[in-house]
Amino acid sequence: MNKLKTLSATALLVCTTYATPSAVFAADQSSSVAEAVSDTWITTKVKAELVTTDKVSGTDVSVTTVDGVVALVGVLPNQAEVDKAIALVRGVNGVKEVDSAGLKVGVAADLGNQSTKTSSDRSVGEVIDDAWITTKLKADLAATQGVPSRDIKVDTKDGTVTLTGALASQLEVDKAIATARAIKGVKEVNADGLVVEGR
């Protein structure tokens, strides 16, 4: 009987010793899959809430979720819409935090470079406006959380802002573009030269 108890205890010890790492790995893997599904669900739910809610231009807002933190990027026409969008996101089940640094107030400029003016068509007022836009944008980029403004070159001509540089993530790129689009006087934003490092 003692041999049977010893044999059973040894077998149990061997099973738990060798089964535990794989069980832990499976639990970790299951946890990360559940988290990814949860982030996808949160993003989908937030987008649906934004699009179906009155007084929020939900189609002008990009939504990204990582580990329950929802990042909003875009340009809305007034602070009331920004506040309402943030409140909506906070109300979605599973949202741990809202990063609204990329959500700006203003009249959204077009993306692209469609200007047909030549440099001889520019007035003194436009040159001053271009310098003001560049200065304002650099200041706003420096104040935007999660955007490494030192890594972004800003050039403005005829109200068209050109952004160049290499950033660590697409979220940083999106925040920089939204910041540029929200600046008064910006007609267009050309961000073809603003890329994600390693892509």
Side-chain angles (χ1 to χ4, degrees):
M1 183 79 167
N2 278 341
K3 281 187 175 184
L4 185 57
K5 284 183 181 179
T6 304
L7 186 56
S8 294
T10 304
L12 182 60
L13 181 62
V14 167
C15 285
T16 57
T17 301
Y18 292 108
T20 302
S22 62
V24 168
F25 174 73
D28 285 346
Q29 198 172 25
S30 171
S31 172
S32 66
V33 168
E35 196 169 279
V37 168
S38 178
D39 285 344
T40 302
W41 181 87
I42 289 170
T43 298
T44 303
K45 180 69 175 166
V46 166
K47 286 180 179 180
E49 289 289 329
L50 289 172
V51 169
T52 59
T53 300
D54 288 338
K55 300 182 182 171
V56 175
S57 306
T59 56
D60 295 333
V61 178
S62 171
V63 179
T64 306
T65 307
V66 178
D67 298 332
V69 177
V70 177
L72 302 175
V73 176
V75 181
L76 294 176
N78 56 55
Q79 189 60 44
E81 283 197 34
V82 170
D83 294 342
K84 187 159 187 166
I86 294 168
L88 277 171
V89 174
R90 286 187 177 135
V92 172
N93 192 21
V95 173
K96 296 177 186 172
E97 187 179 334
V98 179
D99 174 3
S100 61
L103 203 53
K104 304 295 179 182
V105 175
V107 178
D110 292 332
L111 287 174
N113 190 1
Q114 304 164 355
S115 180
T116 56
K117 280 188 176 181
T118 64
S119 59
S120 62
D121 294 333
R122 299 174 75 194
S123 71
V124 173
E126 285 179 327
V127 173
I128 293 170
D129 288 344
D130 289 347
W132 181 87
I133 289 169
T134 299
T135 303
K136 173 77 171 132
L137 178 53
K138 286 180 177 181
D140 284 6
L141 287 171
T144 301
Q145 181 183 1
V147 176
S149 59
R150 293 181 309 264
D151 298 337
I152 303 171
K153 181 179 181 239
V154 178
D155 184 46
T156 308
K157 185 173 182 179
D158 297 329
T160 298
V161 173
T162 302
L163 302 174
T164 55
L167 302 179
S169 70
Q170 187 60 46
L171 181 58
E172 289 179 358
V173 170
D174 292 345
K175 285 182 178 183
I177 293 169
T179 301
R181 291 177 67 202
I183 301 292
K184 182 178 181 179
V186 173
K187 297 174 185 170
E188 300 173 24
V189 178
N190 178 353
D192 293 341
L194 194 60
V195 298
V196 177
E197 290 174 340
R199 282 195 186 176

